[in-house]
């Protein structure tokens, strides 16, 4: 009898790659829904503070009035008098809400292992910033009760866009760091 060395069943097949293989987790992730939500709340509120600091730095350094807190608060109060308190509350609450949404999206996509959440968060922040800048330029600029805030320039819209990209990157970084901590 003649014996042929090797495997006669043919070449081994490589496993098929599923759609979205670039976003598959590289390590196990044990974040629960509660941990993801709490991370989003905390990172979103801290990201809103980061946005506020960035915009205040721009206002102080370049004399471009981009105080998002005062614009937001005075839109609802009708004057600048109590705008800071209300604007801060609304901005922090919105930041916490959107941070939670960002962290759910990152976790759902499986994009919670660094450096993927940083860049995905920046992308989410970019689209969120486009929407906010458009709303600011198109609607709020025409109907704001304070005359000084009715005139929004393209530069203000670009600065709001950049601040939202920073926000998204910060939230993504926080989600990625928490993922490392619980894994």
């Amino acid at each position: 009898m003649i014996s042929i060395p090797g495997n006669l069943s043919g070449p081994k097949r490589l496993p098929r790659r599923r759609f979205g293989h670039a976003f598959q987790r590289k390590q196990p992730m044990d974040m629960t829904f509660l941990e993801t939500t709490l991370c989003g709340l905390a990172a979103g509120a801290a990201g809103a503070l980061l946005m506020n600091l960035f915009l205040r730095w721009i206002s102080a350094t370049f004399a471009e009035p981009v105080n998002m807190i005062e614009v937001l608060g005075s839109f609802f109060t009708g004057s600048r008098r109590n705008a800071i308190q209300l604007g801060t509350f609304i901005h922090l609450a919105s930041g916490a809400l959107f941070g939670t949404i960002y962290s759910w999206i990152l976790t759902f996509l499986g994009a919670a292992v660094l450096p993927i959440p940083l860049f995905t968060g920046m992308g989410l922040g970019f689209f969120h910033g486009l929407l906010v800048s458009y709303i600011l330029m198109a609607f709020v600029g025409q109907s704001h009760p304070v005359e000084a805030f009715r005139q929004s320039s393209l530069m203000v819209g670009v600065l709001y866009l950049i601040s939202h990209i920073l926000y998204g990157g910060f939230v993504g970084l926080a989600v990625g760091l928490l993922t490392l901590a619980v894994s």
Side-chain angles (χ1 to χ4, degrees):
M1 185 166 240
I2 301 174
S3 151
I4 300 174
N7 186 359
L8 294 178
S9 65
K12 292 184 179 179
R13 293 186 179 188
L14 296 174
R16 282 184 62 190
R17 291 187 145 189
R18 295 182 309 154
F19 176 75
H21 61 56
F23 294 110
Q24 290 177 352
R25 297 180 192 96
K26 308 282 190 283
Q27 54 184 301
M29 190 173 88
D30 298 319
M31 280 179 53
T32 65
F33 179 77
L34 179 64
E35 289 171 333
T36 303
T37 302
L38 292 175
C39 175
L41 287 170
L49 288 174
L50 178 68
M51 286 176 65
N52 189 20
L53 290 174
F54 171 73
L55 292 172
R56 284 180 184 232
W57 174 73
I58 293 292
S59 293
T61 307
F62 300 105
E64 185 71 34
V66 286
N67 188 351
M68 185 181 296
I69 300 289
E70 191 173 8
V71 172
L72 186 60
S74 63
F75 185 77
F76 293 103
T77 63
S79 70
R80 290 180 152 181
R81 196 161 38 125
N82 295 327
I84 298 295
Q85 293 84 6
L86 182 62
T88 300
F89 174 76
I90 293 171
H91 197 244
L92 285 176
S94 299
L97 175 70
F98 280 103
T100 303
I101 293 169
Y102 280 30
S103 65
W104 287 341
I105 290 171
L106 291 171
T107 303
F108 175 75
L109 290 176
V113 178
L114 287 173
I116 296 171
L118 173 68
F119 298 112
T120 307
M122 291 172 74
L124 290 171
F126 175 76
F127 289 111
H128 182 191
L130 280 178
L131 181 66
V132 168
S133 296
Y134 177 74
I135 289 170
L136 172 79
M137 305 279 290
F139 301 112
V140 175
Q142 296 172 1
S143 61
H144 201 284
V146 178
E147 181 68 34
F149 297 133
R150 286 188 194 152
Q151 303 159 348
S152 55
S153 66
L154 180 61
M155 181 59 74
V156 171
V158 169
L159 289 171
Y160 285 163
L161 175 64
I162 291 170
S163 70
H164 280 85
I165 293 171
L166 287 173
Y167 170 82
F170 181 82
V171 172
L173 181 65
V175 169
L177 290 175
L178 181 66
T179 301
L180 286 176
V182 298
S183 294

